């Protein structure tokens, strides 16, 4: 995911847009939509693939990355979830290889 984020930043155009968070479906799942302008064209209520509850607040500005060939498919970065996943992996690997105190007493 970090690789995708770096790719988006390096190759796509960065655009600021306004977030609109809505609850949808039977489980009231939160979904983020964004309205932004790109190449003098307004894109309204475009659904985002991911939702980050920490950074995507209703009415807040948010940066998205736009591929000029597909301007109606904005991309977001995934640094937060990537680092969290990496830290959890390191913790679990360390816990797995940690010596077992009960086993050492035998």
């Amino acid at each position: 995911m970090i690789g995708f984020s770096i790719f988006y930043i390096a190759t796509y155009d960065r655009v600021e847009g306004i977030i609109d968070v809505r609850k949808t479906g039977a489980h009231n799942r939160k979904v983020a939509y964004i309205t932004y302008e790109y190449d003098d064209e307004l894109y309204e209520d475009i659904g985002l693939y991911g939702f980050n509850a920490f950074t995507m607040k209703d009415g807040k500005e948010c940066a998205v990355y736009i591929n000029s060939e597909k301007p109606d498919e904005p991309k977001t970065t995934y640094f937060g979830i990537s680092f969290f996943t990496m830290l959890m992996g390191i913790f679990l690997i360390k816990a797995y290889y940690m010596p077992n105190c009960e086993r050492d007493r035998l």
Side-chain angles (χ1 to χ4, degrees):
M1 286 197 265
I2 292 173
F4 282 122
S5 296
I6 292 170
F7 175 76
Y8 297 151
I9 291 170
T11 60
Y12 289 4
D13 297 325
R14 184 176 194 264
V15 174
E16 294 286 329
I18 302 295
I19 294 288
D20 180 25
V21 179
R22 302 179 198 150
K23 292 183 179 180
T24 62
H27 299 289
N28 284 330
R29 190 180 74 124
K30 288 185 178 181
V31 178
Y33 295 88
I34 191 162
T35 298
Y36 59 94
E37 188 175 327
Y38 182 75
D39 277 346
D40 296 327
E41 189 170 335
L42 184 65
Y43 294 87
E44 292 185 276
D45 293 330
I46 306 294
L48 294 176
Y49 179 72
F51 175 72
N52 183 337
F54 295 109
T55 60
M56 294 181 177
K57 304 289 184 192
D58 198 34
K60 183 179 175 186
E61 279 195 8
C62 180
V64 291
Y65 297 89
I66 308 295
N67 179 350
S68 60
E69 296 174 7
K70 299 177 185 176
D72 59 338
E73 296 178 14
K75 305 293 184 189
T76 58
T77 58
Y78 303 102
F79 288 116
I81 191 72
S82 297
F83 287 121
F84 177 74
T85 304
M86 207 166 34
L87 286 174
M88 290 302 295
I90 291 168
F91 173 75
L92 292 173
I93 289 169
K94 184 175 176 148
Y96 179 78
Y97 286 108
M98 217 174 184
N100 186 338
C101 294
E102 289 295 320
R103 185 184 66 205
D104 291 343
R105 281 192 241 168
L106 296 176

